[in-house]
Amino acid sequence: MTPIERIYCTSRIIHGDLSSADGELSGQLGPAGTWVPFIKTALMALGNLADLEGPMRFIYRDAPELADQMKAIDADLQFAKYLRNVFGGHLNEALIAKAYEWRPELRMLPDIRELNGTVMLNVFVLETAINTYVAQDGQHGMFSSETDLVYPPDMERFCTWLSTTVRAAIRICDMLGEITHVSVTPLGERADMFEAYKAAGLTAFARIRKGR
């Protein structure tokens, strides 16, 4: 598998995740909380696109527009990657502890067995993650003020950011697909297919280490 084939496959997976999240998140912020997993899906996909930026940089020479589009949302992707790392993709112990400090209401959760209690737990931990994304000087790293997702304007601000970033990332994945799909080696004629499947039959599997 060539580097450009890896980029094609990776970007297509990211595109699918982003498209699914975008469709499900539209107008889905009610107490049932069916939107919570899709926020996490969106953050994980955006974080994966941020991770892909380095490996795909060699493409920029022949695709300057792609480079411009990635540069335009670089700060957004880094923010999403941070949220993925501490909230969407992992449950960070320090983040849970900080949410417990930030939101005393968490101590009421044992008395709320319904799903909306779990939704609020997710909301409080997410907003804590947002608020911990600070610069070295202590200023907020993305938004202009502290975030309280129970406050409608703050929730709207976050949702607008997420929707805008997801849709920009989908367009980037579309561009990547246009550029890279022609470089995927075709399976070939019957004889080539036989060799490919023969090689596939010899595949040896082992655990894949975390990281790159």
Side-chain angles (χ1 to χ4, degrees):
M1 190 178 207
T2 66
I4 204 161
E5 287 175 321
R6 281 196 294 272
I7 291 168
Y8 168 77
C9 292
T10 303
S11 66
R12 186 156 181 169
I13 290 172
I14 294 170
H15 184 279
D17 290 344
L18 290 170
S19 298
S20 296
D22 186 44
E24 293 291 338
L25 287 172
S26 299
Q28 298 294 322
L29 295 177
T34 54
W35 49 271
V36 171
F38 291 101
I39 284 182
K40 296 177 181 179
T41 296
L43 293 174
M44 286 189 284
L46 292 170
N48 287 336
L49 183 58
D51 290 337
L52 189 61
E53 197 277 335
M56 74 181 191
R57 201 169 292 167
F58 72 94
I59 298 174
Y60 292 166
R61 183 181 61 185
D62 298 319
E65 184 181 352
L66 176 64
D68 291 341
Q69 294 295 318
M70 282 294 291
K71 184 177 180 180
I73 65 166
D74 179 67
D76 302 294
L77 292 179
Q78 294 308 314
F79 179 46
K81 182 176 177 178
Y82 174 81
L83 295 180
R84 176 200 69 179
N85 289 347
V86 301
F87 171 73
H90 306 88
L91 289 176
N92 185 282
E93 291 182 6
L95 177 64
I96 299 293
K98 184 58 67 175
Y100 187 82
E101 174 188 347
W102 160 249
R103 282 292 192 178
E105 301 96 313
L106 288 181
R107 301 175 200 177
M108 299 169 58
L109 283 174
D111 297 324
I112 306 173
R113 298 302 179 93
E114 294 81 6
L115 181 59
N116 60 353
T118 305
V119 173
M120 289 313 301
L121 174 58
N122 273 277
V123 167
F124 291 157
V125 174
L126 171 58
E127 72 182 18
T128 304
I130 294 168
N131 289 330
T132 59
Y133 190 70
V134 295
Q136 289 186 345
D137 61 2
Q139 296 295 312
H140 292 281
M142 176 54 63
F143 302 127
S144 60
S145 63
E146 208 167 67
T147 294
D148 176 355
L149 293 177
V150 178
Y151 179 54
D154 283 6
M155 176 62 94
E156 179 66 25
R157 179 176 68 178
F158 172 75
C159 291
T160 298
W161 167 81
L162 183 61
S163 177
T164 301
T165 305
V166 163
R167 290 171 186 177
I170 288 172
R171 291 192 294 271
I172 286 170
C173 288
D174 284 332
M175 293 174 66
L176 271 171
E178 289 283 337
I179 294 166
T180 60
H181 82 279
V182 295
S183 298
V184 176
T185 304
L187 193 52
E189 301 299 328
R190 187 176 298 274
D192 297 324
M193 291 174 61
F194 176 78
E195 291 300 320
Y197 284 117
K198 185 169 74 172
L202 299 175
T203 300
F205 294 101
R207 291 198 180 195
I208 296 174
R209 293 184 301 166
K210 182 181 177 181
R212 295 182 174 274

